[in-house]
Amino acid sequence: MDTEIDCLISRRNCVRMWYQIREYQDVDYSSVRELYSAGFREHEGAVCVLTLKQHWVQAVLLGLLILFLFLFGSFLASILCLIGVLLAGRFAVSCLFEQGIQLGLSEDLQDIRASYMHRGQVSCFWVAESKGSLIGTVAILPCVTEPGAWELKRISVRKEFRHRGLAKALCRTALEFAARHKVERVVLFTSLVQSDALKLYHSLGFHKEEEFVWPSLCARLINFLVFKYAYKAAIK
Ligand SMILES: CC(C)(COP(=O)(O)OP(=O)(O)OC[C@H]1O[C@@H](n2cnc3c(N)ncnc32)[C@H](O)[C@@H]1OP(=O)(O)O)[C@@H](O)C(=O)NCCC(=O)NCCS
């Protein structure tokens, strides 16, 4: 069943929306995975900034600059070496992001139909399309870590179509689906660096319930905070 967000009543006229939200189909597979990867990769810059804000990183960089000055006796050569170190760090962040992307692609996005669209399964994956192109996604399924709650996942909108309310419409589609299934609690996980997503969740009525440092060595080193947001549905 397609979700009908097809028509916006404005004053006297009925105007077609510029996008359509519908359930996932197998033809969407590559575009969904590509959109997810692009959305994930976008946060690389923010993670680099977060890394540079850590006092221990600043101390190490200063120490290296002094060491290079001592070794080469030239300010220019030392700065060039430091730039090399920073580029190596940027490359390391890119590699970590690629690992993160591959992890997501090998989990629920490996077989999207089996993960979300199985008959009788209480979960769903939606895509938004405009002029035949896939421009946004959202999914919902029972939360593995919290029985009784459902989890909103894979929220992403193609860059050129942002700030026009599409993510909000996608999330509302998923929240209405949850309400129809009498689900009172919807949760999601996001992170400090996903600033646009944080604004979106607040505007939808989610509130932050928990925050914790992602349990990996690299995440601990840069104090990478993950947030759990919750939404309480008013079931009629
Ligand atoms: C987060 C994301 C999905 C938002 O998509 P979007 O289509 O631009 O969001 P919307 O236009 O629906 O905005 C919804 C609300 O978020 C807020 N918002 C979103 N981006 C904003 C921005 N840059 N500045 C200020 N507010 C913003 C607004 O309050 C807006 O509410 P309003 O319409 O009542 O003002 C999009 O930025 C994205 O795909 N990011 C990359 C992937 C990602 O981080 N996903 C989240 C995973 S947890």
Side-chain angles (χ1 to χ4, degrees):
M1 186 193 69
D2 276 4
T3 305
E4 291 294 331
I5 304 190
D6 210 16
C7 193
L8 173 73
I9 307 295
S10 94
R11 299 210 180 111
R12 274 163 265 136
N13 302 322
C14 180
V15 183
R16 275 186 78 80
M17 291 296 273
W18 54 275
Y19 58 82
Q20 191 210 2
I21 296 178
R22 60 164 175 79
E23 288 184 5
Y24 168 85
Q25 295 165 5
D26 289 337
V27 292
D28 305 319
Y29 185 74
S30 315
S31 304
V32 167
R33 286 165 60 91
E34 180 263 311
L35 186 59
Y36 159 77
S37 307
F40 196 103
R41 212 170 274 125
E42 260 177 48
H43 304 296
E44 268 183 37
V47 167
C48 290
V49 171
L50 180 67
T51 307
L52 289 173
K53 280 184 180 165
Q54 305 305 309
H55 293 313
W56 72 266
V57 174
Q58 293 167 2
V60 167
L61 290 174
L62 184 65
L64 282 174
L65 182 64
I66 293 167
L67 179 70
F68 293 146
L69 278 170
F70 179 73
L71 289 175
F72 307 120
S74 152
F75 189 69
L76 183 65
S78 306
I79 290 291
L80 287 176
C81 285
L82 202 63
I83 290 171
V85 170
L86 289 171
L87 288 176
R90 181 76 174 82
F91 179 69
V93 170
S94 291
C95 292
L96 286 173
F97 264 75
E98 279 313 311
Q99 280 178 17
I101 289 169
Q102 292 312 318
L103 190 69
L105 293 177
S106 64
E107 292 177 338
D108 55 319
L109 297 181
Q110 174 75 39
D111 187 342
I112 302 170
R113 178 160 292 283
S115 305
Y116 292 100
M117 310 299 290
H118 208 263
R119 200 177 285 275
Q121 198 166 313
V122 279
S123 56
C124 197
F125 198 107
W126 295 267
V127 300
E129 62 177 3
S130 173
K131 294 181 185 156
S133 299
L134 192 141
I135 57 169
T137 59
V138 72
I140 197 164
L141 79 180
C143 181
V144 181
T145 52
E146 190 188 320
W150 284 17
E151 185 178 344
L152 215 54
K153 284 172 84 83
R154 309 307 178 205
I155 302 152
S156 202
V157 167
R158 210 172 279 288
K159 251 185 171 165
E160 313 86 272
F161 297 93
R162 292 200 186 149
H163 311 305
R164 296 164 70 181
L166 180 53
K168 218 170 188 178
L170 281 161
C171 291
R172 284 202 174 125
T173 302
L175 293 173
E176 281 161 18
F177 176 85
R180 281 203 298 281
H181 286 82
K182 306 275 179 252
V183 175
E184 281 184 16
R185 205 174 131 76
V186 179
V187 297
L188 61 87
F189 294 87
T190 185
S191 76
L192 177 69
V193 297
Q194 284 159 305
S195 50
D196 281 358
L198 300 181
K199 288 172 204 149
L200 166 71
Y201 303 142
H202 281 290
S203 78
L204 281 163
F206 278 82
H207 63 274
K208 187 164 75 176
E209 231 179 39
E210 277 175 43
E211 70 174 52
F212 54 93
V213 176
W214 186 251
S216 81
L217 177 64
C218 293
R220 275 192 214 110
L221 283 173
I222 61 166
N223 199 27
F224 185 82
L225 287 176
V226 172
F227 303 141
K228 180 177 180 181
Y229 272 71
Y231 173 90
K232 191 163 169 15
I235 305 292
K236 289 163 198 148

